[in-house]
Amino acid sequence: MTNSNPWAAFSGPNLGYVMDMYDLYLTSPEEVDAELVALFEQYGAPVDTTAQAAVATTGAANTGDIQKVLAAVQLADAIRQHGHLAADIYPLHNQNLDTTRIETSAYNLTDADLREVPASVLLNNVPANVNNGLDAINYLKEIYTNKIAYEFNQVVGKDEREWIQSKIESGALNAPLSNDDKKAVLNMLNKVEGFEQFLHKTFVGVKRFSIEGVDALVVLIEEIIKGSEASGVKNIQIGMAHRGRLNVLTHNVHKPYKMMLADFAHVPSELFVPEDGSLKVTKGWSNDAKYHLGATYKAPNGTTIGLAYNPSHLEVVSPVVTGQTRAAQDDTSKAGAPVQDASKALAILVHGDAAFAGQGVVTETMNYSRTKGFGTGGSVHIIANNMIGFTTERFDSRSTVYSSDPAKGYEVPVIHVNADEPEAVVQVARFAVEYREKFGKDILVDLIGYRRYGHNEMDEPMITNPAMYNLVHKHDTVRALYGKQLAAEGVVTEAEVEQLQKDIKAELQADLDFIKEQGAGKHSELTMPDAVANGYELVETGVEKARLEKMNEELLTFPEDFHVFKKLNKILNRRRDPFQGKGKIDWGHAETLAFGTILQDGNPIRITGQDAQRGTFSQRHLVLHDEQNGNEYTPLHGISGSNASFTAINSPLSEASIVGYEYGYNLQNEDALTIWEAQYGDFANMAQMMFDNFVSATRSKWGVRSGLVLSLPHSAEGQGSEHTSARLERFLQLSAENNWTVVMLSSAANYFHLLRQQAAILGTDEVRPLVMMSPKSLLRNQIVAADVEELTSGKFQTIIEHPTTGKNVDAVENIVLASGKMAIDLAEKIGEGEGFDHLHLVRVEQLYPFPEKEIADVFAKFPNAKTIKWAQEEPKNMGSWFLADPYLRELATDAQEVKYIGRPALSSPAEGDADAYKEAQAIVIEDSLSK
């Protein structure tokens, strides 16, 4: 790892010997000493023309022992690579340190041997107080085994690695703090501790998930914020779980003490929102625990600092925050691809130690951090390391030395720092900001402390972790330790330290008295907004034919030097036919036309997924590839009149993190039509926590609006039990309070109108997520395909009455309702309607909110209907039957029978054999259409 030239230590015969060994290494490396092989692999040939003068002056007498010099070089590199194992980074001093790899005896070296080695062989920039190899080794040990420890050997880039090493070994990273900085740090630690202790004594037994033990987290975040602001960052997004959250909200995001105390005292906190408008907080009508809430602060200098709302799931907020950060970096206001400026926004992601190692969404988030579509120019990761998870200690929670170890697989530098050393914490924060600014990559700070109480304030940790907590109970707080240190240095007096404690206690008590007086007898009015309760009105979404035809031609006009794959070109050219009266517009074509009109109307579009550009079923083709050179071309970038950006991105093979990312992107850019498409619907299983904790409930819990679109290919089609079901029933089970719209369409025209309808409500109070069970084989079905005229007028239809049934009103005895492919299977069997006068087919396009009025109007048209049938492809315990059943029974008359038509309840969503599927589906079709 050393950057200096080890060959400079050799001259004369010794250099000749090394050169002979190198020649042998080139032909027979197995015959060369392993230590020399390692050096040859790292440094190449033992000739450096730029160092001839150094070689000439070293002298054979002092540096002639080749093995000793090689051993010294290896020792220096070992300190750089393994010094962290011996570092003083554990406040409780309860971990075994490993010095075996950095002891001179392990390399058969003595102090005398090291004195004979020039320091310049081991260090690039030799400090004035380092005179020889022994001094150099001791200097390295002091740097690499102190309160800060480093792991950066995993970094592949040579320049990057050398820059990190130079910062460490030059002393730049350890630049001392000014007295004013030290006083500011002490003041912050005093506030952090005083806040926690006041809550602990005033609201006894109330859960708050105290920060105590890693109090310096607030100092670390504050220094990152300051450094980032200085470098021009204007938007800082913080994601973290509940441990220490209240303190971060208060001291980093500037939620006033009055508001925080009001939350504890059951007084409406909205009474105490700053009048200057600097703080934005939202609440839903069901609300949430205080340690899940977030806020956004607008600093006087214009910087936005936000703490994302977060449920109890410890790590799921990280992709949400990175999505918000990317949206803050993207300029989506112009046609073409969005323009990213990574210097505009930063994500600070705070993790727990057990969760960082244990939760897969962590590595998913790191995996996309350097991809074109999801990168943010680097996040600053912080592990608030309590050395315990719930009651599980480190040796049971992971199989690695550090909880941070997963980060090393992504070339992320890791800096471990003792949380009881606040000045070291500040130094690390400054380094992290500088690194991110220079290299645009993630960096991780492992803030190693402890947890002063149990998992929450009502837990007794001595029951399960007595060894650790015997140490904790005897351990002074970091505020007390740092106060003593600064008093000893003469920076402050002991009296000043004591006065700081008195001041914060008095301030908090005064604020508590004030909010109790002002809030006496007052209660929060938490009601559902009218815009949510009333739903949104369907608007006219048709587009003039001339506008569509012009756009269609532009979409099919490619640059002269762009060579579309010939087979695909033929397929795309058929998209001219519908405008010439020769065919219909299929699903993918309707989607592209809708996208184009939405861009012209001024809404940016971002669609991602594992096959988003082409489409899983090769139906979309939003991004084309030159068949000769692989260059990409996006036709939607070439349409005239576009007023917003468009991007289609093939995502990494992750679901949870990507859904979270897109949800976050839409939170930040409310005007963007943001779509995540699963490769197959069942892939959504891996993102269930995102649907449960964020997409379905954020409006109710936190008052946070989202217009995210989920496109989930769904239907069995005889392809086996997997890749069939998007688990429609789960989304319907989560449906309540107009929280989202759930659809399963059977019309390309209706899809066109639905996309335009969703775009129309973006950024309004009526906005809600859209969950779509999207088609597979129906993508090219001619019943589903649209005539041009169906796009030029009309609006989204919650139900479609099938046009070849119900013509003889008096003859209709059965009304059959079905959605998606089931509806089209029935329509294909019905054909032109001959022989089916006894029934009327209703294609239910929107499942939630359930279209009661529209269905009631249909029922009213057929006075002789005796049976209401609900047909579905899914088993009885899945799909939409359980949702539709009570509505249908409410709408049916006493004389009408409501019947379920479909497969029985099953544990698997579909038959695993194509023939078995066809047989079962034929029975469903027959039963649905029979008299």
Side-chain angles (χ1 to χ4, degrees), residues 621-787:
H621 308 296
L622 293 172
V623 178
L624 307 179
H625 300 266
D626 190 303
E627 67 175 349
Q628 296 183 11
N629 55 32
N631 291 342
E632 293 183 356
Y633 176 69
T634 301
L636 280 166
H637 290 171
I639 63 172
S640 58
S642 178
N643 293 298
S645 68
F646 174 82
T647 186
I649 300 163
N650 290 338
S651 74
L653 189 59
S654 302
E655 290 80 35
S657 62
I658 303 301
V659 170
Y661 190 102
E662 301 308 331
Y663 165 79
Y665 195 98
N666 178 248
L667 289 188
Q668 187 69 25
N669 188 342
E670 289 190 307
D671 293 329
L673 182 63
T674 309
I675 304 170
W676 177 74
E677 181 168 82
Q679 189 177 60
Y680 289 91
D682 62 328
F683 283 33
N685 292 340
M686 304 303 292
Q688 192 65 43
M689 81 284 279
M690 294 299 178
F691 308 138
D692 290 349
N693 292 285
F694 288 105
V695 185
S696 69
T698 51
R699 192 75 181 266
S700 167
K701 293 188 296 187
W702 309 324
V704 174
R705 304 185 312 196
S706 170
L708 178 67
V709 178
L710 304 172
S711 176
L712 313 175
H714 173 90
S715 67
E717 307 192 359
Q719 298 301 306
S721 57
E722 310 308 324
H723 294 355
T724 61
S725 174
R727 296 295 182 178
L728 169 63
E729 61 279 358
R730 293 179 184 166
F731 293 96
L732 294 177
Q733 186 182 40
L734 291 169
S735 298
E737 301 180 307
N738 286 336
N739 62 329
W740 53 21
T741 302
V742 182
V743 301
M744 185 152 62
L745 307 183
S746 62
S747 160
N750 219 21
Y751 180 42
F752 174 90
H753 291 294
L754 176 65
L755 287 173
R756 288 183 49 75
Q757 172 69 42
Q758 185 69 10
I761 62 173
L762 291 172
T764 71
D765 278 345
E766 289 77 17
V767 73
R768 65 179 71 161
L770 171 62
V771 182
M772 181 169 58
M773 302 292 115
S774 52
K776 292 153 72 172
S777 64
L778 300 189
L779 292 168
R780 298 174 178 84
N781 187 288
Q782 287 303 295
I783 295 177
V784 175
D787 293 321

Side-chain angles (χ1 to χ4, degrees), residues 186 189 193 476-485 497 501:
L186 177 62
L189 291 173
E193 182 181 301
D476 280 344
T477 67
V478 62
R479 181 211 57 81
L481 294 170
Y482 194 54
K484 291 176 184 176
Q485 176 185 325
V497 174
Q501 292 179 272

Side-chain angles (χ1 to χ4, degrees), residues 250-380:
T250 302
H251 296 114
N252 297 124
V253 190
H254 302 277
K255 184 174 182 178
Y257 289 142
K258 291 185 180 70
M259 290 188 71
M260 194 61 74
L261 292 170
D263 287 333
F264 278 87
H266 305 292
V267 172
S269 62
E270 56 268 23
L271 297 174
F272 310 104
V273 175
E275 294 180 356
D276 62 3
S278 60
L279 191 74
K280 179 183 178 182
V281 292
T282 59
K283 282 187 178 181
W285 54 92
S286 66
N287 210 353
D288 200 355
K290 61 184 73 70
Y291 39 79
H292 292 168
L293 301 180
T296 301
Y297 172 70
K298 192 77 168 182
N301 64 5
T303 302
T304 297
I305 303 168
L307 178 63
Y309 294 77
N310 186 32
S312 283
H313 281 276
L314 299 176
E315 295 293 338
V316 293
V317 78
S318 291
V320 174
V321 170
T322 53
Q324 288 180 281
T325 303
R326 177 59 181 261
Q329 296 172 348
D330 280 354
D331 180 357
T332 60
S333 63
K334 298 180 179 63
V339 179
Q340 182 188 13
D341 180 356
S343 70
K344 289 166 58 176
L346 166 69
I348 301 174
L349 306 178
V350 183
H351 313 270
D353 48 305
F356 191 88
Q359 298 288 308
V361 71
V362 172
T363 51
E364 286 189 20
T365 304
M366 287 191 157
N367 182 54
Y368 66 57
S369 66
R370 293 164 69 190
T371 63
K372 181 180 178 182
F374 298 89
T376 60
S379 300
V380 177

Side-chain angles (χ1 to χ4, degrees), residues 192-193 195-197 199-200 206-215 242-247 291 386 450-457:
V192 170
E193 182 181 301
F195 177 71
E196 295 287 359
Q197 291 187 352
L199 294 177
H200 193 69
V206 177
K207 287 193 291 186
R208 69 182 192 278
F209 297 99
S210 163
I211 200 173
E212 292 164 280
V214 286
D215 309 53
H242 42 271
R243 174 76 53 210
R245 185 180 186 86
L246 300 184
N247 227 305
Y291 39 79
N386 299 129
Y450 55 92
R451 191 182 67 196
R452 186 153 291 277
Y453 303 106
H455 174 62
N456 63 60
E457 287 67 34

